[in-house]
Structures are given as C-alpha cells and as structure tokens.
Amino acid sequence: MSNYLTKMIEPGRVHRDIYLDPEIFEIEMDRIFGRAWIFVGHDSQTPHAGDFITTSIGRQPVVMSRHTDGEIHVLFNRCGHRGAIVCNEAKGNARKFQCLYHGWTYNTDGTLRGVPLPEGYPEDFEVGKAGMGSLPRVDSYRGFVFACLNPDVEDLESHLGPTKACIDNLCDRAPDGEIMLTGGVHRYRFDGNWKLQLENTLDSYHVPFAHESTVDRSGKQFSRREGDAEGAQVVSGEEEETHHTWKERGAWAFDHGHGFTGNTALDEKTRSSPVYDEYKAALEARLGAQQAEEVLTPFFHNALIYPNMSFMGLNMHIRVIKPVAVDRTEVNVYPVLLKGAPHAMNQSTIRLLNVTHAAASFVQTDDLEAFARCQSGVVGDSSKWVYFNRGLGEHTEAQNWGGREGKSTQELVLRNQYDGWLEYMGGAAT
C-alpha cells in the first residue's frame, strides 16, 4: 500500500483517489492524525477548574479539561469499563466525569474516582488502572493546546517552526498579550473531503472568482477590520502599478505541510475609528508606539498548521478541520477576541465573522459550494488527476523565515501540503 500511496502525489498534481478512496481515508486517520501534533483547543476555553470541551483527533474522541491543580489535560473520552463516551456535551463544568452506563466516575485529570459495587470484580482486576487515560503527548504554545497520539513525536515548538511567528503576532495584538476563544463558534459540515477545506485556507487564487459577489467595481472587498475605511484590493485594477495587489502577495511553505500567505497591504496609518483608536492606545501603553505599529502591520493573511488548524489575521478567527468520512467534513470556526481590547471591538469581530464565515454568509457559502462541486466532479473520467501546478518550480529559498517562498496565487503552499501528506503517509516529498 505504501508504494501505491507514493504514486498518488506527483510534481504539480495529485491523484483523485485521495479524495475518493475510503481506504486511503482510514490510512490518513492512522498515519496523519495518529502521528502529527493536532490542535485541540485554547486554554481560554477552559479557564476554571472543572471546565472542559470535547472534540476529536481523527477517530479518537477526546476531552480537554482543566483539573483542580490548574493544569490542562487531554483525555481519551472513553470509559475504562465498557468503552462508552463519558462526556457527551460540547463543553461544560464538572466536579467529576461520570459514565451514564454503569456509573463509573473519574476525576477531571482522567484518574478513576469511584466504581459502584467494587467488591464484585475479580481479585486480579486492577480497577485503579482503568482510568480514562491521557494522550501520550500534550503541550501548548501561548495558550494553543496540541496533543499527539505518537509518544515519540518531536517537541511542539520544533514542529511549529516559523508558524510560531504567526501565533505570536496574533497574541501580541492583544493589549494584555493573550487571545480568547470565548466568542462562540460557527460549526458546519459539508459533503466533501477534508483536504478541500485545508487547501482552500491558503488558496489566494480563488478569491476574486469564487467570491466575486463581495468585490466592488474598483476591485476591493468589503472592510474586514474595525477602523478600516475600505477593504483589501483583491482584483488588480487601475492602481495596480502603485499598490500591492492580490496576485503579488507572498506565500511561504515550511516543513510538515505548514505555511502562510502574505498580508493585504492595507494602510495602517489611515486606519481609525473611536473604538480602534482606544484599542491602539491600550496596545501602545504596553508595547510602545513603535512596536505596536509593527504588530499592527501584520506580515501574514492566512496561516496553516498542518493538518487541522488555520487562522486568519485580517478577519481574525481560528478554523479547526475535523474529518468525518472520506466525503464528509466538519469545520469549527472561532472568532479571535483580544484580551484587554475594548468590548465593542471584540463584538465587532464576532459580528463580522457572522457575515463572512457563518453557515449562511457572504464568503463561506461560496467555498462550501466549491467544495461540493469538487467532490462531485472529481469522479469524472476526463482525468484522474487534480492539478496544483501554478508557479511550479518558480519558488525561491525564503530569506526571512526559512523554507520556500513564492506568490500566494502560485499554489506553492498547496503543493507543500501534499509534501506534508507524503511525509506522514510514508513517502518522500516531491
């Protein structure tokens, strides 16, 4: 099978079976989601002892909980007795976790707390070892919690590599130096392979076409940030020679499938509103005017931490991609709130995400329609290949970040995802 998998990826193209074959999907759950660091949640989602959220890592249901000692744990969401799901709610607070089937109870660190009628078990049955079980590796970076099913995985910061800078920039925008994922969630499912959404997060090529209805006659999209007088230039227009247009933005590709695309070159000096000016003053009070200006001139537009998490710097949110089946995917989208920012500014972020990334919105609906058409159309026999060959061979070695550098419309970062795919699935990168 490994030899077969290596034939799925060729320079500039991938075989359609990676979107269609249920057997390949199951291998992805084992070799990608079973080997890579997977984003689980943010520590702001469990601020108090007993707080928990439930999610999944590939096929594995898990719980992220904060224990009484203040530590965050990521546990298998499985009763040690008969294997039932223990925590069935999406989030909550509990002094203990109790299985509904036979009443086995667990502490919020997953250790066994109590067993009804324990005298009925054989003497050689070590009841005390039948806890929910912690994942082999759990670590966090600036509040972003990751877990891995592989005990021998490299340390988290080495894995993140240059994408740490994107996380740092996002957090540094907060006057208190921390973000919060406490503004709710948009959750949707679509009939398509999980890699379609993954590709889309760094695909700048599609924007003026798939989202044509959101672009005005001057080639600008609507404003996505508090204080901006206008939106980003997403179609080359008359001012192309003097402005950094959508097709000229940069893209950077790194090990393990990670990458990010360049900023929108909006004018930070003209960005102003009463709420934004109040926020900027609070940020300058912590960082100083010069460093605050650097932070507020972000270098990235979209960033991807392979294989399941992306985040946007312009319209601040975090997107978590959860494969369900070979042709079914769930996506959770969280607005990024800035701790210490004016309440009105954070509320503006939430409202804007309703407009762009809700199940019924101006932007996300376009992408979901594209995913459905790709999943339906790829079965057609005119070709067995899907192409990512824009700018093939035109990249350069990146000077600032390491890795490879190109333009965001050249599909470099999409090809890089499939280098990561081969790395985990057992082949060699192209």
Side-chain angles (χ1 to χ4, degrees), residues 159-399:
H159 172 77
L160 294 175
T163 57
K164 287 191 303 180
C166 299
I167 295 177
D168 288 337
N169 178 265
L170 201 63
C171 295
D172 289 345
R173 297 182 199 184
D176 290 354
E178 299 177 19
I179 69 160
M180 303 177 292
L181 298 192
T182 55
V185 59
H186 290 291
R187 181 175 293 112
Y188 55 84
R189 288 191 172 192
F190 66 88
D191 293 330
N193 189 270
W194 64 281
K195 295 184 290 297
L196 294 170
Q197 174 69 93
L198 204 70
E199 296 159 7
N200 178 260
T201 60
L202 297 185
D203 181 358
S204 296
Y205 187 32
H206 80 284
V207 175
F209 313 107
H211 305 307
E212 183 179 4
S213 64
T214 69
V215 180
D216 66 22
R217 292 183 178 180
S218 69
K220 292 183 174 64
Q221 204 176 52
F222 56 85
S223 172
R224 295 198 186 198
R225 304 185 305 181
E226 174 67 40
D228 274 336
E230 60 184 13
Q233 187 87 31
V234 296
V235 178
S236 302
E238 295 178 358
E239 300 176 341
E240 180 175 352
E241 293 184 0
T242 58
H243 284 72
H244 185 56
T245 61
W246 69 282
K247 69 178 183 179
E248 298 299 326
R249 294 176 197 151
W252 289 263
F254 308 113
D255 292 344
H256 310 312
H258 309 327
F260 63 83
T261 57
N263 66 21
T264 59
L266 288 168
D267 188 350
E268 299 299 324
K269 297 186 184 302
T270 62
R271 185 180 179 189
S272 180
S273 73
V275 172
Y276 177 74
D277 293 345
E278 179 187 351
Y279 155 71
K280 186 176 180 180
L283 189 65
E284 289 179 347
R286 179 173 72 88
L287 298 178
Q290 181 176 347
Q291 188 176 351
E293 184 174 349
E294 292 175 1
V295 167
L296 293 175
T297 309
F299 55 86
F300 78 96
H301 180 76
N302 279 312
L304 170 70
I305 298 176
Y306 192 87
N308 81 315
M309 190 263 273
S310 71
F311 50 100
M312 180 179 279
L314 178 67
N315 181 193
M316 294 186 299
H317 68 268
I318 288 172
R319 188 173 351 212
V320 183
I321 300 162
K322 302 170 71 173
V324 177
V326 68
D327 56 357
R328 188 72 167 158
T329 304
E330 179 180 307
V331 181
N332 294 340
V333 182
Y334 299 89
V336 171
L337 309 184
L338 303 178
K339 192 172 183 180
H343 176 71
M345 183 170 176
N346 283 330
Q347 287 300 111
S348 175
T349 297
I350 293 173
R351 287 196 300 271
L352 182 56
L353 206 63
N354 293 340
V355 172
T356 59
H357 286 79
S361 63
F362 290 157
V363 176
Q364 192 60 59
T365 46
D366 298 332
D367 292 331
L368 294 178
E369 178 66 20
F371 302 160
R373 294 191 189 189
C374 285
Q375 191 71 28
S376 297
V378 76
V379 300
D381 286 334
S382 61
S383 173
K384 297 185 183 300
W385 297 94
V386 174
Y387 288 87
F388 299 92
N389 56 358
R390 280 187 58 82
L392 184 64
E394 296 180 17
H395 67 269
T396 60
E397 297 302 311
Q399 299 300 312

Side-chain angles (χ1 to χ4, degrees), residues 86-111:
V86 176
C87 298
N88 202 46
E89 297 82 11
K91 63 179 182 177
N93 180 276
R95 289 187 302 108
K96 62 183 180 181
F97 299 140
Q98 180 169 319
C99 179
L100 68 76
Y101 201 8
H102 297 96
W104 282 40
T105 58
Y106 302 88
N107 295 308
T108 50
D109 64 354
T111 56

